[in-house]
Amino acid sequence: RQSYITQNPHLSPNIKIAILQGRVLIGMTKEEVVAAIGKPDQKQDTSTWAAREHWVYHTGTDLARLYIFQFGKVNSWRQ
């Protein structure tokens, strides 16, 4: 996490803190999410016109967290 922040000094203070704490914020890029919480377990392209993509992270035996990207940035998420 620290190396990503060092290599990207242009990041806002809020994004830097979130990455260091392993959290995701609305508006983060895909690269920032990977830096914060790692690569997703699964990716799903859901729409070509809106450039939507779903990233799934499994958090437990039956639980998963879904991050929804629109135009390359986090738009929302749900568990």
Side-chain angles (χ1 to χ4, degrees):
R1 293 177 183 161
Q2 183 62 51
S3 63
Y4 181 83
I5 290 171
T6 302
Q7 294 170 7
N8 295 278
H10 65 279
L11 296 171
S12 73
N14 287 343
I15 297 292
K16 288 178 184 179
I17 291 168
I19 290 171
L20 288 172
Q21 293 177 342
R23 295 184 301 117
V24 175
L25 302 176
I26 298 292
M28 279 181 140
T29 66
K30 294 175 185 180
E31 293 81 15
E32 292 164 350
V33 171
V34 170
I37 61 172
K39 293 181 180 180
D41 297 311
Q42 187 178 356
K43 292 182 184 180
Q44 303 168 343
D45 288 326
T46 60
S47 172
T48 54
W49 69 269
R52 290 188 94 174
E53 190 173 350
H54 291 177
W55 284 15
V56 179
Y57 290 83
H58 297 287
T59 58
T61 53
D62 293 330
L63 299 175
R65 179 161 279 191
L66 172 70
Y67 292 94
I68 301 167
F69 291 85
Q70 191 161 7
F71 301 109
K73 294 192 175 189
V74 175
N75 179 274
S76 63
W77 65 78
R78 58 181 161 243
Q79 192 133 354

